[in-house]
Amino acid sequence: QVQLVESGGGLVQAGGSLRLSCAASGRTFSRYAMGWFRQTPGKEREFVAAINRSGRSTVYADSVKGRFTISRDNAKNTVYLQMNSLKPEDTAVYYCAADEDTRSWEPVKLRVYDYDFWGQGTQVTVST
């Protein structure tokens, strides 16, 4: 079992930047593939970015590619989402997710149902 706590959300003007952090506690962090998702009221939770256990592989949604960067520090049990050039349509609650997967080929996971553990979410609001 792993517990996830997101931080770093807030209000920012369009074009600005924020860095989200997700601190994990519990079992060995390096056993987990990690992802960031976001959700707005009335819509399904959508994929934003994901990273494999070692951090060597990442995948991004087309809507954030070139603007967001996912990274992890296994020594600090933390995954990050650096968000640059923010747009009003990036406004959402952002969730960190974890899934334990020790397979040697270290998959990157893109779907909500791939993940067993979720944080409580952090609000990001981008104003015009």
Side-chain angles (χ1 to χ4, degrees):
Q1 190 107 10
V2 64
Q3 292 78 43
L4 305 173
V5 178
E6 300 99 333
S7 61
L11 174 63
V12 64
Q13 286 191 327
S17 298
L18 283 174
R19 188 174 84 153
L20 305 184
S21 299
C22 173
S25 61
R27 297 192 62 181
T28 306
F29 183 63
S30 61
R31 298 172 66 91
Y32 292 86
M34 301 296 296
W36 286 97
F37 293 76
R38 64 188 183 188
Q39 189 169 23
T40 54
K43 293 190 175 182
E44 292 187 354
R45 195 166 294 188
E46 66 171 4
F47 169 75
V48 175
I51 189 167
N52 68 347
R53 293 190 292 115
S54 64
R56 286 190 287 265
S57 294
T58 58
V59 177
Y60 298 91
D62 287 343
S63 59
V64 306
K65 203 172 293 183
R67 300 188 298 122
F68 290 12
T69 302
I70 187 172
S71 62
R72 66 189 295 161
D73 186 337
N74 285 348
K76 295 183 178 180
N77 290 357
T78 303
V79 63
Y80 305 97
L81 186 68
Q82 177 67 44
M83 305 186 295
N84 299 329
S85 303
L86 281 161
K87 305 175 181 180
E89 51 263 43
D90 295 319
T91 295
V93 177
Y94 283 71
Y95 295 91
C96 171
D99 187 69
E100 186 174 8
D101 192 324
T102 56
R103 288 178 289 181
S104 60
W105 54 285
E106 298 190 21
V108 180
K109 304 193 173 189
L110 312 187
R111 299 167 297 190
V112 170
Y113 57 82
D114 285 333
Y115 291 90
D116 288 333
F117 303 102
W118 294 84
Q120 82 289 351
T122 185
Q123 176 70 46
V124 171
T125 303
V126 184
S127 63
T128 55

